[in-house]
Amino acid sequence: GHSKAINIVDFVRVLLDILFHRLDYHLALMNTVTVLPQIGRSVKVISFLAKVKAQVEVNKGPTPEELKAAALERAKQAMAKESEKIFGKIKCLSCLVANMRRETDIDAEYVRIEIKKLTQRAIQEIYARERELLEQVDLLVRDANTTLDGQYKQLSSLKQQFVNKETSCGERLEREVDHEDTATPAPLIAYGENIQQTLNYLKSNEATYRRRWVGFRTANEPNFKNTVKVLGFVGISDPRSVRPWRSVGREGVGHGEFRGPVGIDIDKIRGDIAVSDFENHRIQVIDKFEEVQGVFGSKGTESGYMKGPNDVKCDKDGRFIIADTFNHRISWFDSKREHIQSIGRKGNQPGEFDRPRSLAITTEGNIVVADTGNQRIQVFSSDGDYLFSFGDLGKGPGQFKGPHGLAIDSENNVYVADLYNHRIQVFTSTGKFLRTFGKEGRLPGELSEPRAIAFTPPPEPGTTGNLLVAEMENQRVACSAAMDSTYV
């Protein structure tokens, strides 16, 4: 009866009994032999049930979570494939851009070299043509002077003849009067009056024939490149005629030689000339005998070095103040040419600079700076403390487009050469706009890129001299009255 009722549970229970209660081995063996057929049938049933369950699970299908996970996985795989394609295209485009950039750089360098060659060739042709014209002018001047000399000699000879006739007429008149001959004095007197009128006319026109032609440049001074020219005034018949008095320097890197002398000022204490030697990155000091008294500065960014100094000014204490243009700062040097201090750095905040080009010193000793890149004027104390600024980019009154040259008149007004607006603007010492004059052109009173300005010595104390304007595009120096800005 026990063996008939046995099943898989009983089999497990028998095994437990064997393990835990240590039944008789023979009994266990007997039960095991009896149970084995039942176990086989139970295993078959379990396998069948498992197959049925699996079939049911297959027919049931995946759950929503599984479908979502599968979709996300497929999307990730698709995105990965597309990303690989996109990255491949980006890499190809990067290579193409790099190649184009290299080709563009090569083309730009070639164009730059060709433009430089063409420019140099054009400059050489212009200089050659200039020399030819100057030689022709010199020949014409010599011919004119020869003609004038001949006319002056003829005039002098004629004058002497009339002087002799005047003397002879006077003697005859005296003799006739002594003889009391009343018939002859009247013709003699008329004749003497005609001679006197002729002499007066000859004397009044003598200065015209004595005038000598003077050229502003001669064949042995073909241009102003890398020279410092001192201008003098010729007062024969036209006191406004201007010619070079003498020239100092030539192109080079030695003492007394220049490569772009762009700024100049007079040392008020010693009377020396300070010149900013732009491309040599230094300042040269020359005395009135054209001897170099000192050279200071060299290329660099550290204190005491310079990088394209564009202007130099000497204050009343004999100090040198430098517009260190491409170091974007203003530097002070003492009378012994030792560095004192520098202010500023590249920027557009108060006290910062962007290529300062020009300087001026007011009667109070304040330093006025043309902050060219920032299109404004900044004002500092004599010790370099920031005070105020004025101006911005534009074409209106008080606005600038490349402020360059600066000058101060006797009333402490500030004159600014507004380079690319082709005009001169005038401000008070506090930066208030007063007036402007000049417009673009080549006619008298018109300007084209005025770069540097300065006043001539005043005719008397308390007054202001005329304003000289160096026009870069017109290659000339214009002169205007400072008070009403009229063209002189």
Side-chain angles (χ1 to χ4, degrees):
H2 177 72
S3 61
K4 290 180 181 180
I6 197 167
N7 53 29
I8 187 65
V9 176
D10 294 330
F11 175 70
V12 173
R13 188 177 292 128
V14 170
L15 291 177
L16 291 174
D17 289 339
I18 294 171
L19 294 173
F20 295 101
H21 300 283
R22 297 181 181 179
L23 296 176
D24 184 74
Y25 173 77
H26 297 285
L27 179 59
L29 180 61
M30 181 187 65
N31 289 336
T32 300
V33 171
T34 305
V35 169
L36 284 176
Q38 296 291 335
I39 290 175
R41 288 192 296 271
S42 299
V43 169
K44 290 180 180 180
V45 172
I46 291 172
S47 285
F48 175 75
L49 291 175
K51 289 180 181 179
V52 171
K53 184 178 180 181
Q55 188 66 36
V56 170
E57 292 293 335
V58 170
N59 295 334
K60 183 179 180 182
T63 62
E65 289 78 7
E66 291 174 346
L67 291 173
K68 183 178 180 181
L72 287 175
E73 183 63 27
R74 287 194 298 272
K76 287 181 181 180
Q77 293 176 358
M79 289 178 64
K81 292 181 180 179
E82 291 297 325
S83 297
E84 290 179 359
K85 293 180 181 178
I86 292 172
F87 283 132
K89 292 180 179 179
I90 291 174
K91 187 174 181 181
C92 293
L93 288 174
S94 299
C95 295
L96 181 60
V97 169
N99 292 333
M100 293 176 63
R101 185 175 297 170
R102 283 194 295 269
E103 293 175 359
T104 302
D105 292 341
I106 293 172
D107 292 342
E109 182 66 18
Y110 174 76
V111 171
R112 188 186 69 81
I113 293 172
E114 290 299 317
I115 291 175
K116 185 176 180 180
K117 289 179 180 179
L118 291 175
T119 304
Q120 291 175 347
R121 190 179 306 134
I123 291 173
Q124 291 173 357
E125 292 176 357
I126 290 171
Y127 282 159
R129 180 58 179 162
E130 182 186 39
R131 284 192 292 270
E132 292 177 2
L133 293 175
L134 288 171
E135 289 173 358
Q136 295 177 12
V137 169
D138 287 340
L139 182 59
L140 292 175
V141 168
R142 286 196 296 269
D143 293 342
N145 288 334
T146 302
T147 303
L148 288 174
D149 289 340
Q151 292 175 350
Y152 179 68
K153 290 178 181 178
Q154 294 176 6
L155 181 65
S156 299
S157 176
L158 185 61
K159 176 185 173 183
Q160 188 61 40
Q161 293 176 16
F162 274 93
V163 169
N164 295 336
K165 289 181 179 181
E166 182 186 30
T167 303
S168 174
C169 181
E171 291 174 352
R172 288 179 59 188
L173 182 60
E174 290 176 359
R175 286 197 301 270
E176 294 293 340
V177 171
D178 290 341
H179 291 125
E180 297 180 356
D181 185 357
T182 57
T184 56
L188 285 173
I189 292 173
Y191 181 63
E193 290 177 352
N194 290 333
I195 291 175
Q196 188 61 44
Q197 291 176 1
T198 303
L199 283 174
N200 291 336
Y201 175 78
L202 292 174
K203 290 178 181 178
S204 65
N205 288 275
E206 185 177 13
T208 302
Y209 291 94
R210 289 185 61 186
R211 177 165 53 183
R212 305 285 293 177
W213 287 66
V214 290
F216 193 76
R217 293 185 295 176
T218 57
N220 59 348
E221 291 179 349
N223 56 64
F224 280 85
K225 184 178 181 182
N226 296 309
T227 60
V228 177
K229 291 191 180 291
V230 183
L231 299 182
F233 292 88
V234 182
I236 297 175
S237 62
D238 186 358
R240 292 177 300 174
S241 299
V242 182
R243 65 172 184 178
W245 183 16
R246 64 180 186 271
S247 300
V248 182
R250 60 181 180 180
E251 185 172 4
V253 298
H255 288 189
E257 298 177 338
F258 302 97
R259 291 174 63 220
V262 290
I264 188 170
D265 198 24
I266 306 298
D267 186 344
K268 282 73 175 176
I269 297 177
R270 292 172 291 274
D272 296 333
I273 302 173
V275 183
S276 59
D277 193 358
F278 181 80
E279 293 185 20
N280 284 330
H281 311 284
R282 64 186 180 184
I283 305 298
Q284 295 200 62
V285 182
I286 305 170
D287 64 14
K288 59 183 178 181
F289 302 108
E290 305 177 9
E291 297 292 334
V292 178
Q293 295 298 309
V295 177
F296 60 97
S298 59
K299 186 176 182 180
T301 58
E302 297 81 7
S303 297
Y305 289 82
M306 305 175 192
K307 194 174 181 182
N310 208 85
D311 198 10
V312 56
K313 287 293 179 285
C314 304
D315 65 8
K316 58 183 178 61
D317 298 324
R319 298 183 302 178
F320 300 93
I321 305 172
I322 316 298
D324 193 357
T325 303
F326 291 101
N327 278 330
H328 311 284
R329 65 190 180 192
I330 308 299
S331 298
W332 276 256
F333 292 79
D334 61 19
S335 58
K336 296 181 180 179
R337 299 179 284 278
E338 296 292 334
H339 180 254
I340 301 174
Q341 66 169 356
S342 296
I343 63 169
R345 61 180 181 181
K346 184 174 177 59
N348 56 12
Q349 298 301 312
E352 297 179 339
F353 303 102
D354 186 359
R355 291 161 293 155
R357 295 280 185 178
S358 185
L359 303 171
I361 302 177
T362 65
T363 55
E364 295 93 350
N366 292 335
I367 311 300
V368 184
V369 182
D371 190 5
T372 305
N374 287 324
Q375 312 296 333
R376 65 184 178 184
I377 305 298
Q378 295 198 69
V379 183
F380 299 82
S381 69
S382 59
D383 295 326
D385 297 325
Y386 173 80
L387 299 178
F388 62 92
S389 63
F390 57 92
D392 57 2
L393 178 63
K395 296 182 178 180
Q399 295 181 317
F400 303 106
K401 195 174 181 183
H404 268 67
L406 297 172
I408 309 294
D409 67 7
S410 59
E411 298 179 357
N412 228 21
N413 294 322
V414 180
Y415 288 65
V416 183
D418 194 359
L419 183 71
Y420 296 112
N421 281 329
H422 310 285
R423 64 186 179 183
I424 306 298
Q425 296 198 69
V426 187
F427 301 83
T428 66
S429 59
T430 58
K432 179 182 177 181
F433 174 79
L434 293 178
R435 65 182 184 275
T436 182
F437 60 93
K439 63 179 182 178
E440 185 175 7
R442 298 182 62 85
L443 297 176
E446 296 178 338
L447 304 172
S448 185
E449 296 189 10
R451 181 174 288 269
I453 55 178
F455 284 106
T456 62
E460 54 187 51
T463 62
T464 301
N466 292 330
L467 181 68
L468 301 177
V469 182
E471 301 178 62
M472 185 174 70
E473 187 65 25
N474 283 336
Q475 293 295 312
R476 67 186 182 189
V477 177
C479 182
S480 300
M483 300 308 296
D484 55 5
S485 306
T486 57
Y487 175 78
V488 177

